[in-house]
Amino acid sequence: MTPPELAQLAVVGRPQPRVDGPLKVTGVARYASDHLLPGLLYAVPVCSTIAQGELERLDTAAAEGMPGVRAVLHRRNLPPLRRASLNLGFGSDSSYFDEHRPPLEDDVIRHFGQYLGLVVADTFEQATAGAQAVKATYRGERPPNVDPRLGPEHLSPPGCGERLDVRPQGAALARLDVESERGDPDAAFAASAVQVDRVYVVPPETHNPMELHATVAAWEGASVTLYESTQGVVNHRNVLAQVLGLPRENVRVITRFLGGGFGSKLWSWPHSALAAAAARQLGRPVKLVLTRRLMFATVGHRPRTAQRIRLGATQDGRLTSLHQDWVNHTSILDDYKEDCGEVTPQLYGAPNLRVTSALARRNVGTPCPMRGPGAVPGVYATESAMDELACALGMDPVQLRILNEPPFDLSRKVPFSSRHLVECLTAGAVRFGWSRRDAAIGSMRRDGLALGWGVACCAWAAERFGCDARLDLRDDGTACVAVATQDIGTGTYTVLAQLAAESLGLPLGKVEVLLGDTVLPPGPISGGSMTTASVVPAVLEAARRVVASLLVTVTRAHGSPFYGRRSSELACAAGKVHARTDDPASGIAFDELLRACRVGAVTSSGSASGTSSTEENVSRRSYGAHFVEVTWEAALARLRVSRVVSVIDAGRIINPLAARSQVQGAVVMGIGMALLEETLYDPVTGAPINSNLAEYMVPTNADVPPIEVMFLDHPDPHVDELGARGVGEIGLAGVAPAIASAVHHATGVRVRELPIRLEHLLGS
Ligand code: MOS
């Protein structure tokens, strides 16, 4: 679009309710497991009940004789699955598998819940009973290593705040990497007038999307269709083609709707390959739905992290040094790095800085990205340390952050594309009433409750994936926009409808959106909060081309009112074509023209490549600030989050309603992270033991206060033509440290190990 058109946006920027809302609330929207195909069989995995050892034998005889059981599949009777090439290209060639080892590849047991086989039966209940009847015997069983101390010699027990020496010692740490470095942080820290040196721990957290992971696999000859619950149909198609040994053309993946993923459905997991292999073996469609319990063991989690943060500052609050040394646990075979330093080098202007990472192997399932991977635990630690520094300095925590605003991206020595973090802080402070804050611990009260006010900043990368898109302009007055990305519950259908309507000048209700199917033009994973920015340039290009194609068509078709004219003499406005010399109001509607031309539809494509954070001379990020109030009732030991104001700088907001919902949902997750969530591994069996929604606690409505979300709405000219960045993940970063700081303000207790529990606060 050209600047004058941008100035008159009619659809983009409006709070548009979800176009797919009616389909969802009436039950018409079909999710993966809703696909009930003729002859469907049900698969239930047989899983390891130990976490370290070897499988000696699977006794399948009893299960095989049970009613309805069609097959018990395992390593000895299922042809081997291949490995995926692990191309993390994010584009149409992306083929990333969280677990590098395909299922059933060997007999070594590395975590509780590891797949040993699969029972396939006529009903889910029969398959479940069959799986329970399969008896596994093990040899060489050893106690699992699920030690929450991330390297016994490197870390003291979590939360005690002792010094952390992150050096690789023994087998516990897989490797140590320097992630970012500038200046001489050791000397600067040693010489600094004021120091903070603390360890912060975030426990393992497990994604709990409402929709369970599910696959329905159906073969037709040598081709397979997978109805899948995935955040990336193209990646999943590429992975499954490799794992099953098929050309890509023989695999189709469909995810029309997704009931949340939060990163656990970003890449492929082995159950899907098992379902496809079982369906191939049995010549019948197979459905495999993971139970909530299995989802705690086999489809990823945010790993435990321990981070030592050292801040050095001058007496007047200028950061002189910043160290961040983190360890995260990972599984035995996979090197999953929780990139806690993702935003650290850019957030503040410390001239001297070093960020290091290390991995510690544990007998757990492979971790994976969880909303705001890296940045969310990273910002929890660095922003908590900033609050501790503000306390040590006797300085207001908002002022401390404003004082340390960097003039440019010091780590890459490039300008910021569009950064308004200070405005987030100042606007949020006004809205929240921050000037009324009394910094003295426990000094603020309301209705007999102690009040705590805390603040924290957040940032998240703002890049773009490569994306193709197709637009059809049809003779019934509708348009159709198609791209093989997906709507994971965030509003992508609606955003695409808005983009197509805006760029064609059609009413929103005339736009059909097709997503979530690998037969469509390749689109990106729904991850990294990058979908909106990725689709904008592709859709706008497709719109320009489809209009150009229409203008040529109407000059060449007999019967067209513009027959014989030159397309350059024509223009479009509000879904109509007019001669440039005439009043736009005289235009003729697209569909009327197409009917006059006897052309059913004009189709064009658009394509845009992705951005790369390291290749361009600009630093693109979104920013924000969260202001939180907690109340503490010491007599009842009752802690509540009572008020949240979040100010987000995410470029132009295409749909303020969907964007607000994203940030509100993220803040709810932040309340869970701060106060409730923790996956507990049984030290004896290695099992995630609170593997259900009764014992793995997430916030309920009663835990959620009013959440006010403000967007600054400054378009970012370096992201896409509309200046739109993403809003999904940034809302979670910064919430937990703001709550932890508010709890400290109310109670005087600084909790450095999440979740904050009442036990931490008793006696305060
Ligand atoms: Mo998100 S963790 O990129 O799904």
Side-chain angles (χ1 to χ4, degrees):
M1 280 198 257
T2 56
E5 288 169 312
L6 282 177
Q8 309 161 4
L9 295 175
V11 193
V12 163
R14 312 269 157 194
Q16 171 62 43
R18 279 155 204 263
V19 296
D20 50 331
L23 296 177
K24 288 183 170 172
V25 297
T26 55
V28 173
R30 289 212 293 167
Y31 293 77
S33 71
D34 295 333
H35 290 87
L36 301 176
L37 308 176
L40 189 64
L41 299 176
Y42 294 78
V44 169
V46 177
C47 293
S48 169
T49 54
I50 69 167
Q52 188 165 210
E54 272 185 60
L55 176 66
E56 186 169 71
R57 184 160 179 271
L58 267 190
D59 184 350
T60 60
E64 279 160 353
M66 289 173 66
V69 171
R70 299 280 171 159
V72 181
L73 302 172
H74 48 82
R75 196 162 115 64
R76 320 265 166 217
N77 65 6
L78 197 63
L81 296 163
R82 318 287 180 88
R83 290 187 175 224
S85 62
L86 303 180
N87 178 356
L88 197 50
F90 294 114
S92 56
D93 285 333
S94 161
S95 59
Y96 200 76
F97 210 18
D98 290 276
E99 284 186 32
H100 301 176
R101 167 195 176 275
L104 313 182
E105 190 180 68
D106 57 25
D107 286 329
V108 181
I109 312 273
R110 300 176 179 90
H111 69 90
F112 180 95
Q114 182 175 318
Y115 299 127
L116 306 178
L118 201 63
V119 173
V120 187
D122 291 341
T123 68
F124 173 71
E125 290 75 13
Q126 289 168 333
T128 302
Q132 283 164 359
V134 174
K135 291 278 170 281
T137 45
Y138 306 101
R139 63 171 173 258
E141 181 181 349
R142 293 185 300 287
N145 179 358
V146 290
D147 193 341
R149 296 166 303 171
L150 292 180
E153 282 151 47
H154 322 290
L155 269 182
S156 3
C160 79
E162 298 283 82
R163 286 193 156 236
L164 159 67
D165 183 11
V166 191
R167 284 175 305 193
Q169 288 181 22
L173 291 184
R175 63 173 202 235
L176 175 91
D177 291 333
V178 175
E179 304 286 335
S180 182
E181 196 166 24
R182 62 184 183 236
D184 185 346
D186 299 328
F189 181 71
S192 56
V194 184
Q195 298 179 342
V196 170
D197 184 357
R198 295 292 185 182
V199 172
Y200 302 88
V201 173
V202 178
E205 299 170 341
T206 301
H207 323 68
N208 272 286
M210 278 205 290
E211 184 200 14
L212 302 169
H213 286 245
T215 301
V216 174
W219 290 79
E220 210 180 308
S223 294
V224 65
T225 298
L226 293 148
Y227 300 93
E228 185 70 28
S229 182
T230 177
Q231 293 172 241
V233 291
V234 172
N235 179 77
H236 196 70
R237 186 266 318 269
N238 296 348
V239 167
L240 267 284
Q242 294 189 329
V243 170
L244 297 168
L246 298 171
R248 279 185 192 169
E249 295 71 35
N250 290 23
V251 182
R252 181 178 178 191
V253 178
I254 298 173
T255 302
R256 296 285 186 203
F257 297 97
L258 193 105
F262 310 114
S264 71
K265 298 171 181 174
L266 209 46
W267 313 120
S268 304
W269 290 105
H271 65 270
S272 180
L274 285 174
R280 176 158 64 182
Q281 186 102 335
L282 296 170
R284 297 263 297 267
V286 166
K287 169 159 139 176
L288 194 164
V289 182
L290 292 186
T291 58
R292 183 71 57 184
R293 186 160 178 236
L294 258 187
M295 278 173 46
F296 278 77
T298 62
V299 284
H301 58 278
R302 194 198 298 280
R304 177 182 294 278
T305 50
Q307 302 174 63
R308 179 187 180 189
I309 307 295
R310 281 171 284 174
L311 300 179
T314 60
Q315 286 291 0
D316 61 357
R318 282 178 201 283
L319 283 173
T320 53
S321 73
L322 194 167
H323 289 78
Q324 180 182 29
D325 302 297
W326 91 81
V327 186
N328 70 259
H329 84 210
T330 185
S331 57
I332 299 300
L333 289 184
D334 296 306
D335 291 357
Y336 176 76
K337 182 186 287 184
E338 180 75 20
D339 190 4
C340 294
E342 208 270 325
V343 301
T344 309
Q346 285 85 25
L347 200 49
Y348 298 116
N352 303 287
L353 170 144
R354 188 185 306 120
V355 179
T356 71
S357 71
L359 302 180
R361 300 216 180 277
R362 293 292 179 269
N363 291 108
V364 297
T366 295
C368 75
M370 179 167 171
R371 203 172 194 180
V376 164
V379 162
Y380 159 66
T382 55
E383 285 296 277
S384 293
M386 284 295 279
D387 198 68
E388 300 211 45
L389 179 62
C391 290
L393 291 162
M395 183 181 257
D396 180 87
V398 171
Q399 286 312 316
L400 174 66
R401 288 166 168 97
I402 292 173
L403 188 65
N404 286 287
E405 172 73 5
F408 55 90
D409 181 333
L410 297 183
S411 66
R412 294 180 46 224
K413 300 188 176 58
V414 295
F416 293 111
S417 63
S418 169
R419 170 169 165 139
H420 303 277
L421 180 60
V422 169
E423 189 183 343
C424 290
L425 284 163
T426 53
V430 169
R431 190 73 204 169
F432 190 82
W434 188 259
S435 61
R436 297 195 305 276
R437 182 176 186 260
D438 180 340
I441 303 293
S443 63
M444 294 178 67
R445 302 192 72 79
R446 187 177 66 217
D447 303 333
L449 308 174
L451 289 185
W453 286 7
V455 64
C457 292
C458 54
W460 181 250
E463 301 293 333
R464 237 174 46 210
F465 295 123
C467 183
D468 289 1
R470 196 191 70 222
L471 260 178
D472 303 323
L473 213 45
R474 303 187 288 215
D475 70 349
D476 63 356
T478 65
C480 176
V481 56
V483 48
T485 188
Q486 31 306 295
D487 189 330
I488 61 172
T490 46
T492 306
Y493 277 111
T494 312
V495 161
L496 277 162
Q498 288 178 279
L499 288 172
E502 185 77 65
S503 53
L504 297 171
L506 293 176
L508 191 96
K510 293 289 185 189
V511 179
E512 181 188 13
V513 183
L514 297 180
L515 296 176
D517 188 337
T518 48
V519 302
L520 305 174
I525 53 165
S526 300
S529 306
M530 286 158 64
T531 311
T532 295
S534 304
V535 299
V536 164
V539 171
L540 295 189
E541 186 184 57
R544 282 190 293 269
R545 287 188 175 173
V546 84
V547 166
S549 175
L550 174 74
L551 295 187
V552 170
T553 302
V554 300
T555 60
R556 292 185 180 172
H558 292 281
S560 162
F562 297 108
Y563 177 70
R565 312 252 336 219
R566 268 203 287 247
S567 59
S568 57
E569 297 167 16
L570 305 178
C572 289
K576 294 176 176 175
V577 178
H578 62 277
R580 284 190 188 277
T581 49
D582 293 346
D583 183 354
S586 71
I588 304 172
F590 294 163
D591 56 323
E592 199 180 317
L593 284 171
L594 287 170
R595 288 194 299 272
C597 298
R598 292 183 302 284
V599 168
V602 182
T603 296
S604 290
S605 299
S607 181
S609 57
T611 55
S612 163
S613 55
T614 51
E615 283 168 16
E616 292 165 58
N617 53 359
V618 73
S619 180
R620 277 179 294 257
R621 274 169 199 282
S622 287
Y623 297 91
H626 299 284
F627 292 79
V628 167
E629 177 186 272
V630 301
T631 60
W632 169 241
E633 191 172 7
L636 291 178
R638 184 146 85 163
L639 178 73
R640 315 290 289 176
V641 177
S642 48
R643 192 157 67 93
V644 178
V645 172
S646 299
V647 187
I648 303 292
D649 165 28
R652 183 193 296 278
I653 302 301
I654 289 186
N655 185 344
L657 189 58
R660 188 188 69 178
S661 297
Q662 281 297 296
V663 175
Q664 287 180 328
V667 170
V668 172
M669 285 182 88
I671 293 170
M673 176 180 179
L675 304 180
L676 299 169
E677 290 191 56
E678 175 171 15
T679 310
L680 298 165
Y681 295 95
D682 181 345
V684 177
T685 64
I689 41 176
N690 54 341
S691 54
N692 57 73
L693 285 174
E695 291 165 291
Y696 183 91
M697 290 186 288
V698 295
T700 64
N701 286 3
D703 298 306
V704 177
I707 300 168
E708 188 176 344
V709 180
M710 295 165 64
F711 292 106
L712 297 186
D713 214 20
H714 299 303
D716 183 335
H718 293 280
V719 172
D720 54 54
E721 293 140 289
L722 290 175
R725 301 192 296 237
V727 287
E729 296 171 284
I730 186 161
L732 175 53
V735 175
I739 293 173
S741 298
V743 167
H744 175 257
H745 182 228
T747 67
V749 180
R750 178 74 65 177
V751 182
R752 302 187 184 89
E753 180 191 8
L754 297 181
I756 298 167
R757 299 169 190 279
L758 295 179
E759 301 90 291
H760 290 129
L761 307 180
L762 293 178
S764 68

